[in-house]
Amino acid sequence: MQTVKLLINGCFKDGYKNKDVINPATEKAFAQIPVASKEQALEAIAAAKYAHPSWAATPINERQAMLSKLADRLQENAEEFSRVLVQEQGKPLAEAAAEVLYTEAFMRYFAAYDASAEVIQDDDDMQVEVYRKSLGVVVGIVPWNLPLLIGANKLGPALVTGNTVILKPAPTTSITTLMLGKLASDIFPAGVVNIITDENDLGATLSGHPDVAKVSFTGSTATGRKVAETAASSLKRLTLELGGNDAGVVLDDVNVAETAERIFAGAFMNCGQVCIALKRLYVHESIYDELCEALAKIANNAVVGDGLESGVQIGPLQNEMQYQKAQKYLADGARDGTVIAGGDVVNRPGYFIQPTIVRDIDDSSPLVSEEQFAPILPIVKYSNLDEVIVRANNSEYGLGGSVWSSDIARAKAVAAQIASGTVWINHHLHFGPHIPFAGAKQSGVGVEFGKEGIAEFTQCSVISVMK
Ligand code: NAD
């Protein structure tokens, strides 16, 4: 494993101490990371502030080329990144390789950003143009489930639009982000890209600092509220991508075998630790038994293990706290429903839980009403479609959702009534750099990806000419 350092003002730095990084598949330390002090966080903000004017003045084609070069380097080092990602995050190697590939593809999309002004009026009286200017210093705060991809999705749009950046990954998954810093260090001018780590204690220093113009935060809704509070003092621009409790609604006309496979993929990817994973499934009573049985069979056959072992489909939970939380949800499922697959931890070192399916459960169970973020899927029976739409919407969250039917028109009519940022039909958990991604209700504020998402890293600025 290569040594990783903080990146501040173009220099690699040690932290004020080192910290072990635990591999969740073994519970053993496999590497160390430097931990930044508060003074180093302030140093990173000062460096980013100093670097901003000349970076903003750098021609867009040069900024684009630098971002493309970072994508090239990531591609060249994809195998190493994937293997380290497995060890720090826990996901199977194929999923880690997909995260690295997605990271590269998202960067290339951001690098192709069209910065030309939009002419919105040009007639005999007036010419009105809309420009998109950089904001200044952008802070990106990242969770532990998709650390590389989510970090890069803050870095890319911020840089191409002329902002300077401080990235702060989650304490348990900082290595691949620091490795990205190593690749970026001699591409970008000093201070343009800064990467610091913490022990969950520097977020408020970053989001509350008056020299930070924008915070792009991904994490839990509870922490998102704290970020909004600290950012309020200087009315920073905010993008908050928060928690979710996505419902899947299965109509009575699906092909059960095919639907079960796709639902399993949408619920159990990354060990269920995806904001837009399918987290509660509503199934029509006419096919309830059949679909429960099909999902239980898939769960029982899924290969659980260390992500570096070949053939593994489901890795461990990412960290001990999440492992403890997952066990509480296992107990909720056993108490409030019937466990038809899994239901226990795996008897080996590591934060492993058997892929679990719980039936005969209702909305009052915390396993259904809360975000479990674990490989445990509750399946709720329904008989009335109008009523189940109300139940699917009865949540503080509104990130994603899905409708399953062989009749697309019927599915679309249901999808239109689901109160979430994205609704998938006959799949779940698909996203891409060109597709705007937004949380409704307390799942978020603002948009990521697509031209709408990139625009959030800019100040809209109008020049109006009287003719
Ligand atoms: P978390 O909220 O605990 O931590 C996220 C980040 O915030 C970490 O880097 C953490 O160090 C930092 N942080 C902690 N306290 C802070 C503070 N007071 N101010 C600023 N930053 C602070 O989330 P997590 O447990 O790492 O991630 C899981 C959660 O993230 C789930 O709820 C999941 O749904 C959500 N998530 C959402 C999306 C999305 O796009 N909507 C994507 C991935 C994960």
Side-chain angles (χ1 to χ4, degrees), residues 356-405:
T356 297
I357 305 284
V358 182
R359 57 169 287 169
D360 309 324
I361 191 163
D362 66 37
D363 296 354
S364 63
S365 175
L367 178 60
V368 180
S369 62
E370 297 175 9
E371 182 187 37
Q372 70 274 49
F373 226 58
I376 312 167
L377 181 66
I379 311 182
V380 183
K381 189 191 286 186
Y382 79 87
S383 53
N384 180 302
L385 188 55
D386 292 330
E387 192 189 282
V388 83
I389 294 168
V390 173
R391 286 160 64 194
N393 288 337
N394 183 22
S395 169
E396 66 174 13
Y397 297 118
L399 200 54
S402 53
V403 183
W404 304 76
S405 172

Side-chain angles (χ1 to χ4, degrees), residues 141-145 150 168-171 200 203-204 217-220 223 226-227 241-244 275 371 373 399 437:
I141 300 180
V142 180
W144 43 256
N145 60 342
I150 293 176
K168 194 207 78 58
N200 272 332
F217 171 86
T218 303
S220 63
T223 312
K226 290 187 197 163
V227 171
E241 293 293 350
L242 308 176
C275 52
E371 182 187 37
F373 226 58
L399 200 54
F437 177 68

Side-chain angles (χ1 to χ4, degrees), residues 248-256 259 263 281-288 290-291 380 382-389 392 402-415 417-418 424-426:
V249 178
V250 186
L251 308 194
D252 53 8
D253 59 0
V254 295
N255 172 329
V256 170
T259 301
I263 285 174
L281 187 66
Y282 293 93
V283 180
H284 190 264
E285 58 185 359
S286 62
I287 51 163
Y288 185 76
E290 203 188 340
L291 187 53
V380 183
Y382 79 87
S383 53
N384 180 302
L385 188 55
D386 292 330
E387 192 189 282
V388 83
I389 294 168
S402 53
V403 183
W404 304 76
S405 172
S406 55
D407 180 340
I408 299 300
R410 197 172 161 223
K412 275 192 179 173
V414 176
Q417 298 173 71
I418 303 284
W424 297 275
I425 292 176
N426 294 334

Side-chain angles (χ1 to χ4, degrees), residues 128-140:
V128 183
E129 292 170 326
V130 179
Y131 289 84
R132 291 274 167 190
K133 293 182 177 166
S134 63
L135 294 167
V137 178
V138 169
V139 162

Side-chain angles (χ1 to χ4, degrees), residues 303 306-312:
V303 182
D306 184 328
L308 288 178
E309 290 162 15
S310 75
V312 163

Side-chain angles (χ1 to χ4, degrees), residues 34-251:
V35 182
S37 63
K38 185 171 176 182
E39 291 66 35
Q40 286 177 313
L42 297 175
E43 206 185 314
I45 295 171
K49 185 183 177 188
Y50 183 79
H52 173 245
S54 67
W55 179 244
T58 302
I60 175 79
N61 61 324
E62 289 180 30
R63 297 201 302 255
Q64 289 172 325
M66 288 186 227
L67 199 52
S68 297
K69 193 166 178 186
L70 182 59
D72 292 344
R73 284 197 181 164
L74 183 63
Q75 185 182 26
E76 287 155 19
N77 292 278
E79 204 179 320
E80 188 192 3
F81 270 79
S82 305
R83 293 188 78 80
V84 176
L85 190 53
V86 173
Q87 293 169 80
E88 75 169 347
Q89 204 283 332
K91 62 189 67 189
L93 188 56
E95 284 187 21
E99 181 171 341
V100 176
L101 196 65
Y102 261 57
T103 304
E104 182 204 329
F106 273 68
M107 265 190 218
R108 293 198 193 284
Y109 173 85
F110 298 133
Y113 165 69
D114 176 4
S116 45
E118 192 188 351
V119 181
I120 53 168
Q121 184 179 347
D122 194 1
D123 53 28
D124 291 345
D125 304 323
M126 309 256 283
Q127 191 203 43
V128 183
E129 292 170 326
V130 179
Y131 289 84
R132 291 274 167 190
K133 293 182 177 166
S134 63
L135 294 167
V137 178
V138 169
V139 162
I141 300 180
V142 180
W144 43 256
N145 60 342
L146 294 148
L148 186 67
L149 179 61
I150 293 176
N153 290 346
K154 301 184 183 314
L155 194 69
L159 292 178
V160 79
T161 50
N163 303 282
T164 53
V165 180
I166 298 149
L167 265 192
K168 194 207 78 58
T172 52
T173 53
S174 297
I175 301 179
T176 46
T177 312
L178 293 167
M179 284 166 60
L180 192 69
K182 214 164 171 178
L183 297 187
S185 65
D186 66 342
I187 298 177
F188 298 92
V192 170
V193 177
N194 303 274
I195 300 179
I196 61 168
T197 58
D198 73 343
E199 291 187 301
N200 272 332
D201 56 350
L202 292 180
T205 300
L206 296 171
S207 60
H209 198 287
D211 289 340
V212 170
K214 176 185 170 81
V215 181
S216 175
F217 171 86
T218 303
S220 63
T221 295
T223 312
R225 287 192 197 104
K226 290 187 197 163
V227 171
E229 270 175 38
T230 43
S233 59
S234 57
L235 288 181
K236 290 181 205 322
R237 304 304 180 257
L238 275 184
T239 305
L240 303 175
E241 293 293 350
L242 308 176
N245 191 10
D246 288 13
V249 178
V250 186
L251 308 194

